[in-house]
Amino acid sequence: MPVYHIVLFRLKQGVTPAQLANWTKISQAMVGQIPGLRSLKTNPPLPISVPRAKGFDMGLVAVLDKKEDVAVYAAHPAHLEYVFPLPFLFSLLLDLFWGFIS
């Protein structure tokens, strides 16, 4: 059963496009490095959904193979490198893990 890691972010004032591009590059590099991480995508909300986004500027969806991979993902050095800049870029985040029965 895949596990979906969903995170919503609010950008801090002054975050530059270059900082976001670097953060996105680091996020994409985790795929293939972290066992069990199938995919990871980041993006701002679609224009049509901005009014419902409640002020969140960016979203992330990571797909892991199984629930046991969550612990591997959370402790992996590539993930820790990715998490370190978050307080400098984002003022608020909502972090969820969901498993769906298929």
Side-chain angles (χ1 to χ4, degrees):
M1 172 181 67
V3 174
Y4 295 83
H5 181 204
I6 302 161
V7 187
L8 301 176
F9 303 94
R10 286 191 184 147
L11 296 174
K12 284 190 171 180
Q13 277 194 310
V15 172
T16 67
Q19 288 173 304
L20 275 181
N22 186 55
W23 176 73
T24 299
K25 180 181 170 186
I26 292 169
S27 73
Q28 295 302 311
M30 288 192 290
V31 178
Q33 291 186 53
I34 301 177
L37 180 60
R38 285 187 196 179
S39 66
L40 191 147
K41 303 291 183 197
T42 61
N43 245 331
L46 294 172
I48 194 168
S49 66
V50 168
R52 294 181 300 210
K54 304 293 183 192
F56 289 103
D57 304 298
M58 291 291 290
L60 171 151
V61 177
V63 181
L64 297 117
D65 288 329
K66 57 191 180 300
K67 65 182 178 181
E68 294 80 10
D69 293 328
V70 172
V72 174
Y73 169 78
H76 196 280
H79 180 252
L80 297 176
E81 175 189 351
Y82 175 75
V83 169
F84 177 75
L86 293 181
F88 302 104
L89 300 175
F90 303 103
S91 61
L92 178 67
L93 63 90
L94 176 63
D95 190 3
L96 306 166
F97 286 93
W98 292 89
F100 295 97
I101 298 172
S102 49

